[in-house]
Amino acid sequence: MKELTLQTKVTACAVEEMNPSMRELVEKAKAMTQKAYCPYSHFHVGAAARLADGQIITGSNQENAAYPSGLCAERTTLFAANANYPQTRVEALAIACYTNGHFTKDAASPCGACRQVMLETEHRFGKPMQVVLYGEDMCYIFDSAADLLPMNFVAENLLG
């Protein structure tokens, strides 16, 4: 038996410290929180994805009274990007959350299902996708979606 140690590099910064391109992506994600349909949780989530050709695709969480039928902002955004631009890589994804009349002070982390979809989106193009989690007090930048889901499950796992 041996013990393994997993490490993840995360850059913590204020939004003002980001480059203009990343700040723009964060601002688009923040704007999308206002388009969320979340009458049950009142937790507004917005996401924005920058494609390799510079386009920005956005989405927000969409709840449903039958809870499993709703969808998170990350997945609405990535599914829209992949459905409409299947040959164009997603380079970066920004996520922002708004509740109780303000943006969250701490960056909220994506759920497990969203992490898996983020990983699949990254994996299908064979290049890392940067992920930015916005918080008013601190933002977190991951160089790859895989950093959010260590010991992940990808297509090669299906082959045995």
Side-chain angles (χ1 to χ4, degrees):
M1 180 185 308
K2 67 179 180 178
E3 186 175 299
L4 302 174
T5 301
L6 302 174
Q7 294 183 343
T8 299
K9 180 188 138 213
V10 181
T11 302
C13 65
V15 72
E16 297 80 17
E17 296 176 289
M18 293 180 196
N19 67 46
S21 175
M22 197 58 79
R23 277 198 311 269
E24 176 189 28
L25 203 59
V26 166
E27 290 305 318
K28 298 272 188 185
K30 288 172 64 178
M32 286 306 295
T33 64
Q34 302 309 301
K35 294 185 178 182
Y37 177 70
C38 52
Y40 309 106
S41 72
H42 307 289
F43 194 74
H44 304 247
V45 182
R50 182 181 310 284
L51 305 184
D53 64 5
Q55 290 186 82
I56 296 177
I57 308 301
T58 58
S60 60
N61 57 319
Q62 301 296 307
E63 293 181 349
N64 191 289
Y67 286 126
S69 300
L71 200 59
C72 300
E74 298 90 320
R75 285 182 277 160
T76 63
T77 303
L78 292 175
F79 289 157
N82 291 330
N84 290 294
Y85 307 96
Q87 304 305 317
T88 308
R89 178 173 83 88
V90 177
E91 291 184 333
L93 177 70
I95 305 159
C97 303
Y98 183 91
T99 190
N100 298 321
H102 56 80
F103 288 99
T104 56
K105 295 216 176 286
D106 296 320
S109 192
C111 74
C114 286
R115 290 173 191 227
Q116 183 64 41
V117 170
M118 292 160 61
L119 179 69
E120 183 76 17
T121 299
E122 177 177 279
H123 197 258
R124 75 188 276 180
F125 294 105
K127 292 185 176 179
M129 175 180 69
Q130 256 188 333
V131 178
V132 180
L133 307 179
Y134 172 79
E136 282 199 334
D137 289 346
M138 190 63 59
C139 300
Y140 299 103
I141 302 173
F142 296 84
D143 291 334
S144 169
D147 292 334
L148 287 164
L149 192 60
M151 303 294 290
N152 52 58
F153 187 83
V154 293
E156 288 80 17
N157 298 115
L158 295 170
L159 304 175

